[in-house]
Amino acid sequence: MNTVQETERDHLVSVVSLEEVKDQHQRWLENRRRLENIRFSRFSEDQLRQGKTSRLDYILPYFIFGLKASFMYRQGVRNARNIVIREHELYFDDLPPAFDGYQVVHLTDLHLDSLPGIEDVICEYLDILRFDVAVFTGDYRLHAHGEYNDNVLDPLYRIFRMAQAPDGVFVTLGNHDTHHIARHLTEMPVQILNNQHVQIERNSEKITLVGTDDPQCYLTNDAIHALKQAEGDFKIALVHSPELYQEASQADFQLYLCGHTHAGQVCLPNGSPIIHNVSQGKHLVKGLWNHNGMTGYTSPGCGVSGAPVRYFSRGEITRFTLRRKS
Ligand SMILES: [Fe+2]
C-alpha cells in the first residue's frame, strides 16, 4: 500500500494510495465547482463582488449603523478581538491507552479579513500552547465567493506555521471557502481532509481523523461515505458545522469537532444566541453536547462574520486533552 506522503513522523500513517488521493481530489474538485456554480448562479456580478449572497448581507449595514449610533460598536469589536483559550479534558472508555493525555488544538471560523490583525493574537496563543495535533474546521475568510486575497492568505500561512505540531495540522473547508483555496493550501504546511481520513499511530495503537467538506452548502455522498467507511477503534470527525452529527454517531465516532455557529456571536446577556444557524437543534449551537454516546463540541470560533462584533459571546481556541477512563 502506498502512503499519501512521506513524513518525518514515523507515527503518522495515511491509509489510502497516492492514486486514490488524486482521484478523490479530482472528484471533489469537480463536485465543488459544480455546486459553487449552482449556489452562485442566481447572483449578479455586482452582488458577488460586494459579497451580498444572503438576506442578512442587505440588513447588515443598518445593523452596524444602529450599533454605531448607540455607541456599542467599539465595545463589540473589542469583545470580538478578545479571544481566549478554552481547555476541555474529555474522558473516553475506548481511547487507546497510548493516547491517554493526547492533546488536540481546534480552531475554526477564523474569518481573517473580518478582524484584521486577529492573527497576531492567535499566533501568540499558539506559540505558548503545547499540543500533539492541530485541526482547523473551515471558514478562513469573510466572503463566500471567488478567489482568495493576500489579506487572507498571508495571515493564514502565519497561523498554520505557528500551529505546527508533532502529528501535523489537518484542515477542512467551510461554507465561506471556495475550491480555490485547495490550490493555496497545497503550498502551506497543512494536510487538507476533503472527505478523507488519516490515522495517527502510537505504540501500535491508532486514532483516526476524518475530515469532510462543508455539509451546509456543499454536501455530497462522498462526505457521508467518508464518515461511514473510516476504520478505527477511536474516530474523530472534523466537520465545519454540526450537521453531520447523526451520521457520525451512527458510524461509531467518539468525538465530533465543529464550528460555524460562532456560538451566536451576538447574544443576550444570558448567553442565548439571538440568531443561530443550526437547523437541527439549539443544543448544537455551542459548547459540549452528546449524541448517543458520541461527544460533540461546537466551537464559537476565533473570528466573526457579518458585523465584526461579539456581545455576550467569546471567541476561542480550544484545546482538548483526551483521557482514557480507568
Ligand atoms: Fe460557516
Side-chain angles (χ1 to χ4, degrees):
M1 179 182 292
N2 296 326
T3 54
V4 174
Q5 57 182 21
E6 294 297 324
T7 102
E8 295 162 5
R9 305 179 295 266
D10 61 0
H11 48 274
L12 174 65
V13 290
S14 299
V15 291
V16 285
S17 72
L18 190 58
E19 276 183 8
E20 203 178 330
V21 167
K22 283 182 178 171
D23 283 351
Q24 278 177 350
H25 180 72
Q26 197 51 38
R27 190 168 65 242
W28 170 79
L29 197 58
E30 283 164 17
N31 270 327
R32 244 321 188 108
R33 283 194 183 127
R34 181 177 56 79
L35 292 170
E36 286 172 23
N37 281 339
I38 293 168
R39 182 181 176 194
F40 296 116
S41 60
R42 60 201 165 99
F43 300 104
S44 70
E45 278 300 315
D46 266 0
Q47 286 174 309
L48 292 173
R49 200 174 42 250
Q50 292 168 33
K52 293 194 184 306
T53 53
S54 78
R55 222 175 295 163
L56 275 178
D57 293 326
Y58 286 91
I59 300 167
L60 195 60
Y62 301 101
F63 178 60
I64 292 176
F65 179 80
L67 289 177
K68 286 181 174 171
S70 66
F71 303 105
M72 288 172 63
Y73 186 75
R74 280 189 182 182
Q75 185 57 51
V77 174
R78 272 198 296 273
N79 295 344
R81 291 184 175 279
N82 193 12
I83 63 175
V84 293
I85 295 172
R86 201 172 299 279
E87 301 261 10
H88 288 281
E89 203 162 23
L90 304 176
Y91 286 80
F92 301 92
D93 288 321
D94 36 11
L95 182 70
F99 288 87
D100 188 23
Y102 195 78
Q103 292 188 307
V104 180
V105 75
H106 176 213
L107 295 90
T108 189
D109 299 273
L110 304 180
H111 296 291
L112 288 164
D113 42 351
S114 271
L115 289 170
I118 192 71
E119 67 273 17
D120 294 339
V121 184
I122 295 171
C123 284
E124 227 172 291
Y125 277 136
L126 289 174
D127 193 31
I128 57 169
L129 270 182
R130 195 196 82 81
F131 45 93
D132 296 292
V133 68
V135 298
F136 290 73
T137 51
D139 274 8
Y140 302 101
R141 62 157 177 201
L142 178 59
H143 289 321
H145 176 262
E147 251 293 5
Y148 284 73
N149 298 322
D150 288 345
N151 61 350
V152 172
L153 295 173
D154 290 346
L156 188 58
Y157 185 75
R158 269 188 66 200
I159 290 169
F160 286 157
R161 285 282 303 271
M162 198 54 87
Q164 291 306 299
D167 288 339
V169 182
F170 298 94
V171 305
T172 69
L173 304 188
N175 55 309
H176 287 243
D177 302 313
T178 52
H179 70 276
H180 300 286
I181 198 171
R183 196 179 72 251
H184 299 294
L185 289 174
T186 59
E187 293 162 4
M188 298 194 190
V190 299
Q191 186 171 341
I192 185 170
L193 293 178
N194 264 331
N195 309 326
Q196 293 159 319
H197 70 277
V198 294
Q199 289 186 312
I200 296 170
E201 183 174 331
R202 285 194 167 178
N203 300 339
S204 304
E205 295 172 338
K206 292 173 189 168
I207 61 172
T208 305
L209 305 183
V210 183
T212 75
D213 198 359
D214 165 60
Q216 197 191 44
C217 298
Y218 303 112
L219 180 63
T220 62
N221 283 336
D222 287 347
I224 312 286
H225 189 73
L227 292 173
K228 282 185 178 165
Q229 296 302 310
E231 294 173 1
D233 295 329
F234 190 91
K235 297 185 286 190
I236 302 175
L238 308 173
V239 187
H240 180 59
S241 70
E243 284 166 276
L244 297 181
Y245 77 106
Q246 286 172 318
E247 287 82 354
S249 163
Q250 282 161 12
D252 297 324
F253 276 72
Q254 280 76 11
L255 182 59
Y256 185 110
L257 302 181
C258 61
H260 178 63
T261 64
H262 301 186
Q265 191 175 314
V266 175
C267 299
L268 300 171
N270 67 0
S272 296
I274 294 172
I275 298 174
H276 65 83
N277 45 0
V278 179
S279 51
Q280 290 94 340
K282 281 186 180 174
H283 66 291
L284 302 169
V285 171
K286 61 177 180 177
L288 279 170
W289 41 268
N290 189 286
H291 183 73
N292 290 342
M294 180 183 77
T295 302
Y297 190 77
T298 310
S299 166
C302 299
V304 288
S305 61
V309 296
R310 278 188 191 264
Y311 298 103
F312 304 106
S313 164
R314 202 98 187 252
E316 71 179 47
I317 294 170
T318 323
R319 182 169 68 172
F320 300 97
T321 302
L322 309 185
R323 293 283 180 200
R324 182 179 167 86
K325 272 187 199 165
S326 51

